[in-house]
Amino acid sequence: MLLRELVEKKLTCYEESFADWKEAIRANGNPLKREGYIEDAYLDAVIACVEKYGPYIVIIPNVAMPHSTEGAPGVLKTGIGFMKVEEAVHFDPNDPEKDARLFFMLASNDSEAHLNNIMQLSELLSNDDLVNDLLTVKNDEELLAVADKYGGE
Amino acid sequence: MLKVIAACGNGMGSSQMIKMKITKVFKKLNVDVTVDHNSVGAASSMAVNYDAVFVSQNFVDNFKTAASKGVKIIGLKNLLSEQEIEEKIKEAGLDK
């Protein structure tokens, strides 16, 4: 189960609110930075991507998947950083469908491991009940409870 | 065989997710298809070689040239909704 793995690898964080989406993205990257997956250069690249392409990283309502390119400068290891924010982060002031409270930052320098991550994440986020439960978690303990509830791989 | 491509900003995250989802939906609809994925930049220059392009709604305008040449450009709001993908495949007549 991907969620359990993220807790074990210490790649999770829980926050109250942010002044803007850039702050949110940097906070989402903090655990990845601390655990040696990325450096600041990658977060700069992720922010530049959103500025260039718009808020498409909000892939389904409430869920953002910030990322840049594979093997981008500042990527040291392949992984996913999870962040839950209490107050919705706005990516497009005119489109509430581009608000996000769940963040899954992708970092990759290994396409095989990355594809495996993407498959698991896609599976996870295709489950509406699971996503709704994720919106209520406030700490690792509650995240693990969600992981247990839905079990599986 | 139908040839389609999924695209996103960098070709690393959402385009791979879209690819997985549309492959699944086409299979369900019994449509023989090959699915590639790439960044929007690369995909827009290759799009004319495909029957259809699947992208996040944000990127539909990047494919105007291909659209004018008859390529179906499918913009998705929810990238993981198999229901939306299925509806839009049918709408575009790609299941025929």
Side-chain angles (χ1 to χ4, degrees), chain B residues 52 54 72-74 86-96:
Chain B
F54 288 77
K72 305 260 196 233
I73 312 300
I74 317 253
E86 183 172 339
E87 280 167 13
K88 289 187 171 165
I89 285 175
K90 288 181 172 164
E91 220 170 88
L94 294 170
D95 58 328
K96 303 277 167 18

Side-chain angles (χ1 to χ4, degrees), chain A residues 14-146:
Chain A
Y14 307 85
E15 306 289 343
E16 272 307 314
S17 63
F18 293 102
D20 58 40
W21 62 263
K22 290 183 194 178
E23 266 191 21
I25 283 180
R26 293 207 180 270
N28 186 191
N30 269 340
L32 287 165
K33 224 165 74 178
R34 189 187 60 224
E35 301 302 319
Y37 285 73
I38 59 167
E39 294 171 335
D40 277 321
Y42 185 61
L43 296 176
D44 296 339
V46 171
I47 288 170
C49 273
V50 179
E51 284 177 333
K52 182 172 174 192
Y53 295 116
Y56 85 98
I57 58 160
V58 181
I59 54 167
I60 59 173
N62 292 317
V63 181
M65 191 172 71
H67 62 282
S68 176
T69 49
E70 195 157 87
V75 177
L76 309 173
K77 283 198 275 183
T78 300
I80 299 180
F82 170 76
M83 178 173 76
K84 154 74 192 302
V85 190
E86 289 305 315
E87 212 174 282
V89 175
H90 309 294
F91 280 88
D92 180 346
N94 303 312
D95 185 359
E97 283 188 12
K98 294 294 176 190
D99 283 356
R101 292 173 61 209
L102 298 171
F103 286 68
F104 292 89
M105 180 175 289
L106 308 177
S108 166
N109 61 1
D110 172 344
S111 31
E112 210 165 306
H114 171 65
L115 191 61
N116 182 40
N117 276 343
I118 288 271
M119 278 170 68
Q120 290 194 60
L121 189 57
S122 159
E123 188 80 13
L124 202 79
L125 298 177
S126 298
N127 184 334
D128 292 342
D129 295 335
L130 193 158
V131 172
N132 283 334
D133 281 354
L134 281 182
L135 287 167
T136 69
V137 302
K138 291 188 165 61
N139 50 50
D140 277 347
E141 208 170 285
E142 291 175 14
L143 188 66
L144 288 173
V146 175

Side-chain angles (χ1 to χ4, degrees), chain B residues 2 4 18-33 35 51-54 72-76 81-96:
Chain B
L2 201 63
V4 308
I18 299 174
K19 179 181 167 176
M20 285 173 204
K21 285 289 167 188
I22 57 181
T23 305
K24 194 172 167 192
V25 175
F26 274 120
K27 200 173 169 192
K28 185 185 156 202
L29 296 171
N30 276 319
V31 178
D32 208 7
V33 65
V35 185
D51 299 303
V53 180
F54 288 77
K72 305 260 196 233
I73 312 300
I74 317 253
L76 301 172
S81 164
E82 287 169 30
Q83 192 191 338
E84 180 183 348
I85 292 170
E86 183 172 339
E87 280 167 13
K88 289 187 171 165
I89 285 175
K90 288 181 172 164
E91 220 170 88
L94 294 170
D95 58 328
K96 303 277 167 18

Side-chain angles (χ1 to χ4, degrees), chain A residues 4-16:
Chain A
R4 179 168 292 280
E5 193 186 315
L6 298 185
V7 173
E8 281 162 2
K9 291 181 173 168
K10 302 189 176 70
L11 297 178
T12 58
C13 64
Y14 307 85
E15 306 289 343
E16 272 307 314

Side-chain angles (χ1 to χ4, degrees), chain B residues 20-83:
Chain B
M20 285 173 204
K21 285 289 167 188
I22 57 181
T23 305
K24 194 172 167 192
V25 175
F26 274 120
K27 200 173 169 192
K28 185 185 156 202
L29 296 171
N30 276 319
V31 178
D32 208 7
V33 65
T34 55
V35 185
D36 294 330
H37 73 93
N38 215 318
S39 65
V40 163
S44 60
S45 58
M46 307 187 306
V48 288
N49 304 316
Y50 290 87
D51 299 303
V53 180
F54 288 77
V55 283
S56 165
Q57 191 70 48
N58 293 57
F59 293 129
V60 169
D61 286 349
N62 293 59
F63 292 90
K64 277 184 179 152
T65 316
S68 72
K69 293 190 172 139
V71 180
K72 305 260 196 233
I73 312 300
I74 317 253
L76 301 172
K77 279 176 82 173
N78 181 327
L79 303 190
L80 297 178
S81 164
E82 287 169 30
Q83 192 191 338

